[in-house]
Amino acid sequence: MAARSDRPHAALPPGLAAQAAPAGPGPIHPGWLRVTHWLNALAVVIMATSGWRVYNAAPFFDFTFPNGITLGGWLGGALQWHFAGMWLLLANGLLYLGLNLTTGRLARKFFPVGPRGVLADLGAALRGKLSHADPRHYNQVQRLAYLFVIADITVLILSGLVLWKSVQFDTLRALLGGYEFARRIHFFAMALLVAFVAVHLAMVALVPRSLIAMIRGK
């Protein structure tokens, strides 16, 4: 039997050794993750497009969104769609987070993450040297991005509660700087989420098998 090296990935750039490990048995993404992922995607589309129509009814910047990319047809209809998307995002988000915590996936997939590792992986990606040998392993840029999305959606939900029930959530409203400031927080949190989705889709286009894995699990 050939001797095994004690440092099988010593020649790889920082942050790539874990990704070069051979894929283990079983699906890349479990069934519950794939279901919650697509439900989250649906909720984000509903909330973003209906939210643009709501924004158009009382814009606070010098622009509005084209009606053709909004959902709801009018303010009342957009609000109904927005509330439906809100409950889907909240319920599905709690299920996603709960399963990630109870299965240990959150700690296993998203940590450790730190500035040095993020910069190393980002530099490798910009040079076209970031390995995608094992899609089960997230590089540190991916980990940071997914943790950011979890935090961003939390901000969306909290600021949305203030906009929905401002009187009932008066303490939360005060913490967010008042109703109008909460509107702006909600707007920018959604803009950041849409930007993440755009980058995410671009990465999927570069690595198409990641889409297949999220559909089939392998």
Side-chain angles (χ1 to χ4, degrees), residues 143-198:
R143 295 174 192 175
L144 180 63
Y146 292 135
L147 290 172
F148 163 78
V149 167
I150 292 172
D152 189 58
I153 289 177
T154 301
V155 171
L156 270 172
I157 291 172
L158 293 176
S159 57
L161 289 174
V162 171
L163 303 183
W164 178 44
K165 296 287 187 180
S166 182
V167 175
Q168 289 84 345
F169 293 99
D170 56 334
T171 302
L172 182 58
R173 183 186 69 231
L175 290 173
L176 294 182
Y179 182 87
E180 283 301 323
F181 200 70
R183 280 190 71 201
R184 285 155 177 77
I185 291 174
H186 196 71
F187 180 90
F188 284 112
M190 180 56 73
L192 288 171
L193 183 57
V194 171
F196 166 82
V197 170

Side-chain angles (χ1 to χ4, degrees), residues 57-106:
F60 43 78
F61 293 118
D62 292 331
F63 70 87
T64 57
F65 295 94
N67 287 335
I69 63 171
T70 66
L71 179 66
W74 59 297
L75 177 58
L79 286 171
Q80 300 242 353
W81 276 107
H82 207 65
F83 292 147
M86 174 191 72
W87 289 116
L88 176 60
L89 184 68
L90 176 61
N92 192 64
L94 288 174
L95 178 63
Y96 170 85
L97 188 58
L99 287 171
N100 267 287
L101 287 169
T102 56
T103 62
R105 184 179 181 275
L106 186 70

Side-chain angles (χ1 to χ4, degrees), residues 45-65:
V45 169
I46 291 173
M47 292 206 69
T49 53
S50 62
W52 294 339
R53 172 69 72 160
V54 175
Y55 165 85
N56 283 353
F60 43 78
F61 293 118
D62 292 331
F63 70 87
T64 57
F65 295 94

